[in-house]
Amino acid sequence: MTPKPDIFFLPAAGGEQRLCLFHAPAGAPRSKVLYLHPFAEEMNKSRRMAALACRALAQAGHAVLQIDLRGCGDSSADFGDASWADWQADVRLGLAELDRRVAEAPLWLWSLRAGCLLAAADWGRPVNHLFWQPTASGKPALQQFLRLRLAAEMAGGASKGLMEQLKTDLAAGRAVEIAGYRLSAALAAGLDAARLAPGGAPGRVEWLELSTREDASFTPVSEQAVKTWQDAGWAVRPQIVPGPAFWATTEIELAPTLIERTVEALA
């Protein structure tokens, strides 16, 4: 039987803390995995799926660490205080904690949506990637987030010129309010500049995307991104998995086949 996760606060810079959950396997770990959650409300919609996948991976023999990034979940600070650099520092913090708990085992960075943009960097060590529905570029992700404010204002007939005003405010270093989140200029700039580009020594990439269509295929953007990683020497295995876009559904939904394929991918 897989032990219950160890829930704890990890000390961070400036006297802050990051909420973490460590899922230990029953025996010696087959690998160690750091999970990087998606952006804003997508994180909350994905909590259940992430928890079930962590449990399944631990049962399959993998050690998994979840970390709430700065300003997210129950970690220190407000969302509006966080920057992309803060989140990169949190990844390093999580990696160090994972190393402390698991000495020798292959390392995987498992990420979802915009979390994949954060994961795709040179961490100065061998890393394998498990991408769930990766976002190829931060610019459209930021645009999509800003449109949430636009949609809300349209209902009241006050959306004219709003997108330009939001961009002007961010460019001037001012935070903006989007769907209950205060978005800082520093975080917006970091997301806008982020690309799903390979970094560091090549390893493995398990690339899993979801679709409810039986005849689904990868978009040209995904195909080009996969090719970019392959051309850089990474062993990429792309798959389309049946299931809903659980990070964006109105009600909490699950994609059990995605969890099954994830466990198989890391086997």
Side-chain angles (χ1 to χ4, degrees):
M1 182 177 179
T2 305
K4 291 184 178 180
D6 178 17
I7 304 174
F8 63 99
F9 283 99
L10 186 62
E16 293 187 357
Q17 296 178 319
R18 304 290 180 261
L19 178 70
C20 294
L21 286 80
F22 180 69
H23 305 259
R30 301 173 63 181
S31 75
K32 50 187 176 183
V33 183
L34 178 63
Y35 171 64
L36 302 179
H37 59 73
F39 191 79
E41 192 60 22
E42 291 187 358
M43 172 189 177
N44 296 324
K45 292 292 183 66
S46 305
R47 284 282 200 187
R48 181 63 177 160
M49 269 295 294
L52 293 174
C54 285
R55 188 181 306 167
L57 286 170
Q59 289 174 344
H62 306 277
V64 186
L65 179 68
Q66 294 176 266
I67 182 170
D68 284 0
L69 302 172
R70 185 172 194 246
C72 300
D74 291 313
S75 288
S76 297
D78 292 327
F79 186 86
D81 297 326
S83 69
W84 196 256
D86 290 336
W87 288 359
Q88 290 173 322
D90 285 347
V91 176
R92 297 185 182 93
L93 194 66
L95 289 173
E97 178 64 16
L98 201 50
D99 287 342
R100 189 184 71 80
R101 290 174 177 258
V102 183
E104 296 296 332
L107 173 63
W108 287 84
L109 285 182
W110 161 32
S111 48
L112 171 60
R113 299 278 290 154
C116 301
L117 297 171
L118 188 62
D122 184 357
W123 301 106
R125 56 190 299 177
V127 172
N128 302 301
H129 287 285
L130 170 62
F131 290 148
W132 275 11
Q133 202 73 25
T135 301
S137 171
K139 186 177 290 293
L142 177 62
Q143 288 281 102
Q144 181 182 15
F145 188 61
L146 295 179
R147 287 195 192 102
L148 294 177
R149 171 75 178 274
L150 197 64
E153 296 292 341
M154 282 180 67
S159 63
K160 185 176 181 180
L162 179 60
M163 182 63 77
E164 290 73 18
Q165 184 59 51
L166 292 173
K167 292 180 178 179
T168 298
D169 287 341
L170 290 171
R174 295 188 291 269
V176 296
E177 294 287 339
I178 308 289
Y181 290 86
R182 186 168 63 90
L183 176 67
S184 72
L187 183 54
L191 177 61
D192 185 67
R195 302 290 181 273
L196 193 70
R204 289 175 56 193
V205 178
E206 296 291 340
W207 189 299
L208 305 180
E209 296 193 16
L210 283 165
S211 177
T212 55
R213 293 175 48 189
E214 293 185 1
D215 61 343
S217 60
F218 284 101
T219 65
V221 172
S222 291
E223 289 179 346
Q224 181 57 51
V226 167
K227 185 177 185 301
T228 297
W229 282 76
Q230 291 172 333
D231 290 346
W234 292 75
V236 186
R237 186 170 64 159
Q239 299 183 61
I240 294 182
V241 180
F246 56 86
W247 57 88
T249 53
T250 303
E251 302 295 331
I252 299 300
E253 294 197 32
L254 302 178
T257 305
L258 178 60
I259 297 175
E260 294 171 8
R261 297 285 181 87
T262 294
V263 173
E264 292 170 1
L266 267 63

